[in-house]
Amino acid sequence: MLLAIDAGNTNVVFALVDGGEIVARWRIATDPRRTADEYAVWLSQLMQLGGHDRSAVKGVIVATVVPRALHNLQVLASKYFNTQALIAGQAPIEWGIAIDVDEPASLGADRAVNTIAAHALHPGDLIVIDFGTATTFDVVDYSGAYKGGIIAPGINLSLDALVTAAAKLPRIAIEAPTDISVIGLNTVSQMHIGIYWGYVAMIEGLVARMKAEIGRPVKVVATGGLATLFEKQTDVFDVIEADLTIQGLAMMWDRHHI
C-alpha cells in the first residue's frame, strides 16, 4: 500500500493507493504549523474508520507547493509509517519529463505531476486545467513535455477579493446559477453571475486562445476539487480526472520501483 500526499496551498490530500487503485482519500486544511503527531492522530483515526491497517503502508510519496509543510510530512512518514518519504521532483525521483520553460525549477510540483499523469492517461496534445487555490492551465505536448501555461486566481480567491474590497457586498456560496440568465435582478444574483459566468467565460476564452496558438488538435483535461462545478455549464472539458495529481504520484512511485 502506498500513501500519496498532495500538499497544496489550501488543502493537503492523503490517499491510499493499492495496486494502482485509489482505495481511500482524505483532505485536511493546509497549515504549515501542523505537526507530524497531529497528522498521525487525525490520519490514523480515519484509516481505522475506513478499515485500513496503518502497517500495510509500505511507502510514502509527497508533492508539495508549500515548502514549510514538507518537514512535518517527512517526519510523519518516518515516525509513524517507518519509511522515508520520497519527494516528487527530488532525487531519486526526478520528473523524467522535458520542462520547456524559462525557469524549469520554478514549476510547481502539482503541475509537473499532473503533466506526467495526463500524458500517461491521454495521448496527444493536452491542456490540463487544475482548479485549486489558483486555477492553472498547462500545455503538454504529444511527447509528454511541459510547454508552459497560465496561472489565474482561483474562483475562491476572486470571490474573497471582491467581498474584501467592497464593503457592502455579502459573502456568498460559490455554486452554479439556477438558470442561464446573465442579467441579475438583485445583488446576490448579480454576484453569482459575475463570479460564475465570468469564470466560465475566462476558462473558455483562455482555452480557445491556447488551442489557436498550439495549432493542433488538443484534448482538455480538468482536475481539482472545483472542476465539477463548471462541468454542466460548458463543453470546454473533454474529460475530468478528479484524482490526477494522486494518480501521477502513484505513477512516479511505480516508475521508481520497476
Side-chain angles (χ1 to χ4, degrees), residues 169-233:
L169 294 182
R171 183 165 294 279
I172 61 173
I174 296 175
E175 56 188 6
T178 55
D179 59 54
I180 61 173
S181 172
V182 292
I183 301 175
L185 300 180
N186 56 64
T187 297
V188 170
S189 69
Q190 290 171 14
M191 289 177 68
H192 273 134
I193 291 166
I195 290 292
Y196 186 86
W197 288 114
Y199 219 77
V200 169
M202 180 194 76
I203 296 165
E204 293 176 338
L206 289 177
V207 167
R209 287 176 175 269
M210 295 176 89
K211 284 184 172 181
E213 189 169 335
I214 294 167
R216 296 186 298 272
V218 181
K219 177 179 283 189
V220 178
V221 180
T223 190
L226 293 173
T228 55
L229 180 65
F230 304 103
E231 180 181 15
K232 294 181 179 179
Q233 303 293 354

Coordinates of all heavy atoms in Angstrom, one line a residue, residues 169-233:
L169 N -20.9 44.3 -0.1 CA -21.2 43.1 -0.7 C -21.2 41.9 0.3 O -20.2 41.8 1.0 CB -20.3 42.8 -1.9 CG -20.4 43.8 -3.1 CD1 -19.4 43.3 -4.2 CD2 -21.8 43.8 -3.6
P170 N -22.2 41.1 0.2 CA -22.2 39.9 1.2 C -21.3 38.8 0.7 O -21.0 38.7 -0.5 CB -23.7 39.5 1.2 CG -24.1 39.8 -0.2 CD -23.4 41.1 -0.6
R171 N -20.9 37.9 1.6 CA -20.2 36.7 1.3 C -21.2 35.7 0.8 O -22.2 35.4 1.5 CB -19.4 36.2 2.4 CG -18.6 34.9 2.1 CD -17.5 34.7 3.2 NE -16.6 35.7 3.2 CZ -15.5 35.9 2.4 NH1 -15.3 35.0 1.4 NH2 -14.7 36.8 2.6
I172 N -21.0 35.1 -0.4 CA -21.9 34.2 -0.9 C -21.3 32.8 -1.2 O -20.0 32.7 -1.2 CB -22.5 34.7 -2.3 CG1 -21.4 34.9 -3.3 CG2 -23.3 35.9 -2.1 CD1 -21.9 35.2 -4.7
A173 N -22.1 31.8 -1.3 CA -21.5 30.5 -1.6 C -21.3 30.4 -3.1 O -22.0 31.0 -3.9 CB -22.5 29.4 -1.2
I174 N -20.2 29.7 -3.5 CA -19.9 29.5 -4.9 C -20.7 28.3 -5.4 O -20.5 27.2 -4.9 CB -18.4 29.3 -5.1 CG1 -17.7 30.6 -4.7 CG2 -18.2 29.0 -6.6 CD1 -16.2 30.5 -4.8
E175 N -21.6 28.5 -6.3 CA -22.4 27.5 -6.8 C -22.9 27.9 -8.2 O -22.9 29.0 -8.6 CB -23.6 27.2 -5.9 CG -24.5 28.4 -5.7 CD -25.6 28.2 -4.7 OE1 -25.6 27.2 -4.0 OE2 -26.4 29.1 -4.5
A176 N -23.3 26.9 -9.0 CA -23.8 27.1 -10.4 C -25.1 27.9 -10.2 O -26.0 27.5 -9.4 CB -23.9 25.8 -11.1
P177 N -25.4 28.9 -11.0 CA -26.7 29.6 -11.0 C -27.8 28.6 -11.4 O -27.6 27.6 -12.1 CB -26.5 30.7 -12.1 CG -25.0 30.9 -12.2 CD -24.4 29.5 -12.0
T178 N -29.0 28.9 -10.9 CA -30.1 28.0 -11.2 C -30.6 28.2 -12.6 O -31.4 27.4 -13.1 CB -31.2 28.3 -10.2 OG1 -31.6 29.7 -10.3 CG2 -30.8 28.0 -8.8
D179 N -30.3 29.3 -13.3 CA -30.7 29.4 -14.7 C -29.5 30.1 -15.4 O -28.5 30.4 -14.9 CB -31.9 30.3 -14.8 CG -31.8 31.7 -14.2 OD1 -30.8 32.4 -14.6 OD2 -32.6 32.0 -13.4
I180 N -29.7 30.2 -16.8 CA -28.5 30.7 -17.6 C -28.6 32.2 -17.8 O -27.8 32.7 -18.6 CB -28.5 29.9 -18.9 CG1 -29.8 30.2 -19.7 CG2 -28.2 28.5 -18.7 CD1 -29.7 29.6 -21.1
S181 N -29.5 32.9 -17.2 CA -29.6 34.3 -17.4 C -28.4 35.0 -16.8 O -27.9 34.6 -15.8 CB -30.9 34.9 -16.7 OG -30.8 36.3 -16.7
V182 N -27.9 36.0 -17.6 CA -26.7 36.8 -17.1 C -27.2 38.2 -16.7 O -26.3 39.1 -16.7 CB -25.6 36.8 -18.1 CG1 -25.0 35.4 -18.2 CG2 -26.0 37.3 -19.5
I183 N -28.4 38.4 -16.5 CA -28.9 39.7 -16.0 C -29.5 39.5 -14.7 O -30.7 39.0 -14.5 CB -29.9 40.3 -17.0 CG1 -29.3 40.5 -18.4 CG2 -30.4 41.7 -16.5 CD1 -30.3 41.0 -19.5
G184 N -28.8 39.9 -13.6 CA -29.3 39.7 -12.3 C -30.2 40.7 -11.8 O -30.1 41.9 -12.2
L185 N -31.2 40.4 -11.0 CA -32.2 41.3 -10.5 C -32.0 41.7 -9.1 O -32.8 42.5 -8.5 CB -33.6 40.7 -10.7 CG -34.0 40.3 -12.1 CD1 -35.4 39.7 -12.1 CD2 -33.9 41.5 -13.0
N186 N -30.9 41.2 -8.4 CA -30.6 41.6 -7.1 C -29.1 41.5 -6.9 O -28.4 40.9 -7.7 CB -31.4 40.9 -6.0 CG -31.2 39.4 -6.1 OD1 -30.1 38.9 -5.9 ND2 -32.3 38.7 -6.4
T187 N -28.6 42.0 -5.7 CA -27.2 42.0 -5.5 C -26.6 40.6 -5.5 O -25.6 40.3 -6.1 CB -26.8 42.7 -4.2 OG1 -27.3 44.0 -4.3 CG2 -25.3 42.6 -3.9
V188 N -27.2 39.7 -4.8 CA -26.7 38.3 -4.7 C -26.7 37.6 -6.0 O -25.7 37.0 -6.4 CB -27.5 37.5 -3.7 CG1 -27.1 36.0 -3.7 CG2 -27.2 38.0 -2.3
S189 N -27.8 37.7 -6.8 CA -27.8 37.0 -8.1 C -26.8 37.7 -9.1 O -26.1 37.0 -9.9 CB -29.2 37.1 -8.7 OG -29.5 38.4 -9.1
Q190 N -26.6 39.0 -9.0 CA -25.6 39.6 -9.8 C -24.2 39.2 -9.4 O -23.3 39.0 -10.3 CB -25.7 41.1 -9.7 CG -27.0 41.7 -10.3 CD -27.2 43.2 -10.0 OE1 -26.3 43.9 -9.5 NE2 -28.4 43.6 -10.3
M191 N -23.9 38.9 -8.2 CA -22.6 38.4 -7.7 C -22.4 37.0 -8.2 O -21.3 36.7 -8.7 CB -22.5 38.5 -6.2 CG -22.3 39.9 -5.7 SD -22.3 39.9 -3.8 CE -20.7 39.1 -3.6
H192 N -23.4 36.2 -8.1 CA -23.4 34.8 -8.6 C -23.0 34.8 -10.1 O -22.1 34.0 -10.6 CB -24.7 34.1 -8.4 CG -24.8 33.4 -7.1 ND1 -25.9 33.5 -6.3 CD2 -23.9 32.7 -6.3 CE1 -25.8 32.9 -5.1 NE2 -24.6 32.3 -5.2
I193 N -23.7 35.6 -10.9 CA -23.5 35.7 -12.3 C -22.0 36.2 -12.6 O -21.3 35.6 -13.4 CB -24.5 36.6 -13.0 CG1 -25.9 36.0 -12.9 CG2 -24.1 36.9 -14.4 CD1 -27.0 37.0 -13.2
G194 N -21.6 37.2 -11.9 CA -20.3 37.8 -12.2 C -19.2 36.8 -11.9 O -18.3 36.6 -12.7
I195 N -19.3 36.1 -10.7 CA -18.3 35.2 -10.3 C -18.3 33.9 -11.2 O -17.3 33.5 -11.8 CB -18.4 34.8 -8.8 CG1 -18.1 36.0 -8.0 CG2 -17.6 33.6 -8.5 CD1 -16.6 36.4 -8.0
Y196 N -19.5 33.3 -11.3 CA -19.6 32.0 -12.0 C -19.5 32.2 -13.5 O -18.6 31.6 -14.1 CB -21.0 31.3 -11.7 CG -21.0 29.9 -12.2 CD1 -20.5 28.9 -11.5 CD2 -21.6 29.7 -13.5 CE1 -20.6 27.6 -12.1 CE2 -21.7 28.4 -14.0 CZ -21.2 27.4 -13.3 OH -21.2 26.1 -13.9
W197 N -20.4 32.9 -14.1 CA -20.3 33.0 -15.6 C -19.1 33.8 -16.1 O -18.5 33.5 -17.1 CB -21.6 33.7 -16.1 CG -22.8 32.8 -16.0 CD1 -23.9 33.0 -15.3 CD2 -23.0 31.5 -16.7 NE1 -24.7 31.9 -15.4 CE2 -24.2 31.0 -16.3 CE3 -22.2 30.8 -17.6 CZ2 -24.7 29.8 -16.8 CZ3 -22.7 29.6 -18.1 CH2 -23.9 29.1 -17.6
G198 N -18.6 34.7 -15.2 CA -17.3 35.4 -15.6 C -16.2 34.4 -15.6 O -15.3 34.5 -16.4
Y199 N -16.2 33.4 -14.7 CA -15.2 32.4 -14.6 C -15.3 31.5 -15.8 O -14.3 31.1 -16.4 CB -15.2 31.7 -13.3 CG -13.9 31.4 -12.7 CD1 -13.1 32.3 -12.1 CD2 -13.3 30.1 -12.9 CE1 -11.8 32.1 -11.7 CE2 -12.0 29.8 -12.4 CZ -11.3 30.8 -11.8 OH -10.0 30.6 -11.3
V200 N -16.5 31.1 -16.1 CA -16.7 30.2 -17.3 C -16.2 30.9 -18.5 O -15.5 30.3 -19.4 CB -18.2 29.8 -17.5 CG1 -18.4 29.2 -18.8 CG2 -18.7 28.9 -16.3
A201 N -16.5 32.2 -18.7 CA -16.0 32.9 -19.8 C -14.5 33.0 -19.9 O -13.9 32.9 -21.0 CB -16.6 34.4 -19.8
M202 N -13.9 33.1 -18.7 CA -12.4 33.1 -18.7 C -11.8 31.8 -19.1 O -10.9 31.7 -19.9 CB -11.9 33.4 -17.3 CG -10.4 33.5 -17.1 SD -9.8 33.4 -15.5 CE -10.0 31.7 -15.0
I203 N -12.4 30.7 -18.6 CA -11.9 29.4 -19.0 C -12.1 29.2 -20.5 O -11.1 28.8 -21.1 CB -12.7 28.3 -18.2 CG1 -12.5 28.4 -16.7 CG2 -12.4 26.9 -18.7 CD1 -13.5 27.6 -15.9
E204 N -13.3 29.4 -21.0 CA -13.5 29.2 -22.4 C -12.6 30.1 -23.3 O -12.1 29.6 -24.3 CB -15.0 29.4 -22.7 CG -15.9 28.4 -22.1 CD -17.4 28.7 -22.3 OE1 -17.7 29.8 -22.6 OE2 -18.2 27.7 -22.2
G205 N -12.5 31.3 -22.9 CA -11.6 32.3 -23.7 C -10.2 31.9 -23.7 O -9.5 31.9 -24.7
L206 N -9.6 31.5 -22.5 CA -8.2 31.2 -22.5 C -8.0 29.9 -23.2 O -6.9 29.7 -23.9 CB -7.8 31.1 -21.0 CG -7.7 32.4 -20.2 CD1 -7.3 32.1 -18.8 CD2 -6.7 33.3 -20.9
V207 N -8.8 28.9 -23.1 CA -8.7 27.6 -23.8 C -8.7 27.9 -25.3 O -7.9 27.3 -26.0 CB -9.7 26.6 -23.3 CG1 -9.7 25.4 -24.3 CG2 -9.4 26.1 -21.9
A208 N -9.6 28.7 -25.7 CA -9.7 29.0 -27.2 C -8.4 29.6 -27.7 O -7.9 29.3 -28.8 CB -10.9 29.9 -27.4
R209 N -7.9 30.5 -26.9 CA -6.6 31.2 -27.3 C -5.5 30.2 -27.3 O -4.6 30.2 -28.2 CB -6.3 32.4 -26.4 CG -7.2 33.6 -26.7 CD -7.0 34.7 -25.7 NE -7.7 35.9 -26.0 CZ -7.3 36.9 -26.8 NH1 -6.1 36.8 -27.3 NH2 -8.1 37.9 -27.0
M210 N -5.4 29.3 -26.3 CA -4.4 28.4 -26.2 C -4.4 27.4 -27.4 O -3.4 27.0 -28.0 CB -4.4 27.6 -24.9 CG -4.1 28.5 -23.7 SD -4.3 27.6 -22.1 CE -2.7 27.0 -21.9
K211 N -5.6 26.9 -27.7 CA -5.8 26.0 -28.8 C -5.4 26.6 -30.2 O -4.7 26.0 -31.0 CB -7.3 25.5 -28.9 CG -7.7 24.5 -27.9 CD -9.1 24.1 -28.1 CE -9.5 22.9 -27.2 NZ -10.9 22.4 -27.5
A212 N -5.7 27.9 -30.3 CA -5.3 28.6 -31.6 C -3.8 28.7 -31.7 O -3.2 28.6 -32.8 CB -6.0 30.0 -31.6
E213 N -3.2 28.9 -30.5 CA -1.7 29.1 -30.5 C -1.0 27.7 -30.8 O 0.0 27.6 -31.4 CB -1.3 29.7 -29.2 CG 0.2 30.1 -29.2 CD 0.6 31.0 -28.0 OE1 -0.4 31.7 -27.5 OE2 1.7 31.0 -27.6
I214 N -1.6 26.7 -30.2 CA -1.0 25.3 -30.4 C -1.1 24.9 -31.8 O -0.2 24.3 -32.4 CB -1.6 24.3 -29.4 CG1 -1.3 24.7 -27.9 CG2 -1.2 22.9 -29.7 CD1 -2.1 24.0 -26.9
G215 N -2.3 25.1 -32.4 CA -2.4 24.8 -33.8 C -2.6 23.4 -34.2 O -2.5 23.0 -35.4
R216 N -2.8 22.5 -33.2 CA -3.1 21.1 -33.5 C -4.3 20.6 -32.6 O -4.6 21.3 -31.7 CB -1.8 20.2 -33.1 CG -0.6 20.5 -33.9 CD 0.5 19.5 -33.5 NE 0.9 19.6 -32.1 CZ 1.9 20.4 -31.7 NH1 2.5 21.2 -32.5 NH2 2.2 20.5 -30.4
P217 N -4.9 19.5 -32.9 CA -6.0 19.0 -32.1 C -5.5 18.8 -30.6 O -4.4 18.3 -30.4 CB -6.3 17.7 -32.7 CG -5.9 17.8 -34.1 CD -4.7 18.6 -34.1
V218 N -6.3 19.3 -29.7 CA -5.9 19.3 -28.3 C -7.1 18.7 -27.5 O -8.3 19.1 -27.7 CB -5.6 20.7 -27.8 CG1 -5.2 20.7 -26.3 CG2 -4.5 21.4 -28.6
K219 N -6.8 17.9 -26.5 CA -7.7 17.4 -25.5 C -7.6 18.2 -24.3 O -6.5 18.5 -23.8 CB -7.5 15.9 -25.2 CG -8.5 15.4 -24.2 CD -8.3 13.9 -23.9 CE -8.9 13.1 -25.0 NZ -8.8 11.6 -24.7
V220 N -8.7 18.6 -23.7 CA -8.7 19.4 -22.4 C -9.1 18.5 -21.3 O -10.1 17.9 -21.2 CB -9.7 20.6 -22.5 CG1 -9.7 21.4 -21.2 CG2 -9.3 21.5 -23.7
V221 N -8.1 18.4 -20.3 CA -8.3 17.6 -19.1 C -8.4 18.5 -17.9 O -7.6 19.3 -17.7 CB -7.1 16.6 -19.0 CG1 -7.3 15.8 -17.7 CG2 -6.8 15.8 -20.2
A222 N -9.5 18.3 -17.2 CA -9.8 19.1 -16.0 C -9.6 18.3 -14.7 O -9.9 17.1 -14.7 CB -11.2 19.7 -16.0
T223 N -9.1 19.0 -13.7 CA -8.9 18.3 -12.4 C -9.0 19.3 -11.3 O -9.2 20.5 -11.6 CB -7.5 17.6 -12.3 OG1 -7.5 16.7 -11.2 CG2 -6.4 18.6 -12.3
G224 N -9.0 18.9 -10.1 CA -9.2 19.8 -8.9 C -10.6 19.7 -8.4 O -11.5 19.4 -9.1
G225 N -10.7 20.1 -7.2 CA -12.0 20.0 -6.4 C -13.2 20.7 -7.1 O -14.3 20.3 -6.9
L226 N -12.9 21.8 -7.8 CA -14.0 22.6 -8.3 C -14.3 22.4 -9.8 O -15.1 23.0 -10.4 CB -13.7 24.1 -8.1 CG -13.6 24.6 -6.7 CD1 -13.2 26.1 -6.6 CD2 -15.0 24.5 -6.0
A227 N -13.6 21.4 -10.4 CA -13.8 21.1 -11.8 C -15.3 20.8 -12.1 O -15.8 21.2 -13.1 CB -12.9 20.0 -12.3
T228 N -15.9 20.0 -11.2 CA -17.2 19.5 -11.5 C -18.2 20.7 -11.4 O -19.4 20.6 -11.9 CB -17.6 18.4 -10.5 OG1 -17.4 18.8 -9.2 CG2 -16.8 17.2 -10.8
L229 N -17.8 21.8 -10.7 CA -18.7 22.9 -10.6 C -19.1 23.5 -12.0 O -20.2 24.1 -12.1 CB -18.1 24.0 -9.7 CG -18.8 25.3 -9.5 CD1 -20.1 25.1 -8.6 CD2 -17.9 26.3 -8.7
F230 N -18.2 23.4 -12.9 CA -18.4 24.0 -14.2 C -18.8 23.0 -15.3 O -19.1 23.4 -16.4 CB -17.1 24.7 -14.7 CG -16.6 25.7 -13.7 CD1 -15.5 25.4 -12.8 CD2 -17.2 27.0 -13.6 CE1 -15.1 26.4 -11.9 CE2 -16.8 27.9 -12.7 CZ -15.7 27.6 -11.8
E231 N -18.7 21.7 -15.0 CA -18.9 20.7 -16.0 C -20.2 20.8 -16.8 O -20.2 20.6 -18.0 CB -18.8 19.3 -15.3 CG -18.9 18.1 -16.2 CD -18.8 16.8 -15.5 OE1 -19.0 16.8 -14.2 OE2 -18.7 15.8 -16.1
K232 N -21.3 21.1 -16.1 CA -22.6 21.1 -16.7 C -22.9 22.3 -17.5 O -23.8 22.4 -18.3 CB -23.7 20.8 -15.7 CG -23.6 19.5 -15.0 CD -24.8 19.3 -14.0 CE -24.7 17.9 -13.4 NZ -25.8 17.7 -12.4
Q233 N -22.1 23.4 -17.3 CA -22.4 24.6 -18.0 C -21.4 25.0 -19.1 O -21.5 26.1 -19.6 CB -22.4 25.7 -16.9 CG -23.3 25.5 -15.7 CD -24.8 25.6 -16.1 OE1 -25.1 25.9 -17.3 NE2 -25.7 25.2 -15.2

